[in-house]
Amino acid sequence: MGKFDYVRDYLEVAAGARSGPVRWNGHGRRVEYSVLKPDAPAGKAPFRFARRVFWIKEHDRSERPDGVYKDCAPSEGVDPAPSPPECGVNSPSALGKDRCQPPARDRPPPPSPDLNRT
C-alpha cells in the first residue's frame, strides 16, 4: 500500500475465513485486507471473523491527483504507512502534507473589532 497517501478502512465482521481474500461488494476498489493468525478466535457467530479491508474510491487522490481530495483527505481515510495501518489516524501525508483547509463555510468567522474600546 506504499503508493497511497491514505486508504479507506472498513471492518468486515462476518468474514468466512482467517486468511485469503475478503469478499468485497462495496463501492470503490479493494487494495488490501488483513490476514489473521491461524489461531485467531471467531467472533460472536461461529466460524465468522472480523477482518479489515482497505479500499479507495475513484475520486481519491491516488486516482485523481487534481481532484476533490487534492489538498485534503476524507474523514474515513487512514494512513497506510504503519504496520498495520492505524484505525482513524490521519498523518500529514494523508492530509495532503498539512495543506488541508476546511471550506470557508466551515471555518469560524474572524473576530469582529471591538468598536467600544477606548
Side-chain angles (χ1 to χ4, degrees), residues 58-70:
E58 63 279 351
H59 58 267
D60 282 338
R61 191 181 317 140
S62 59
E63 308 304 297
R64 293 189 183 156
D66 292 327
V68 66
Y69 292 115
K70 173 181 164 185

Side-chain angles (χ1 to χ4, degrees), residues 5-45:
D5 289 340
Y6 64 84
V7 292
R8 295 166 189 258
D9 187 1
Y10 169 74
L11 182 64
E12 172 56 64
V13 296
R18 292 178 178 97
S19 63
V22 177
R23 183 182 69 223
W24 178 248
N25 294 325
H27 298 289
R29 178 170 60 102
R30 179 185 67 192
V31 294
E32 191 67 64
Y33 50 84
S34 64
V35 175
L36 304 178
K37 293 180 180 180
D39 60 346
K44 292 182 180 181

Side-chain angles (χ1 to χ4, degrees), residues 67-91:
V68 66
Y69 292 115
K70 173 181 164 185
D71 295 321
C72 58
S75 60
E76 68 270 22
V78 297
D79 186 355
S83 181
E86 295 179 44
C87 210
V89 174
N90 270 329
S91 69

Side-chain angles (χ1 to χ4, degrees), residues 41-63:
K44 292 182 180 181
F47 307 107
R48 294 295 176 195
F49 305 91
R51 294 181 56 198
R52 293 171 72 191
V53 177
F54 304 100
W55 60 287
I56 58 171
K57 284 189 173 182
E58 63 279 351
H59 58 267
D60 282 338
R61 191 181 317 140
S62 59
E63 308 304 297

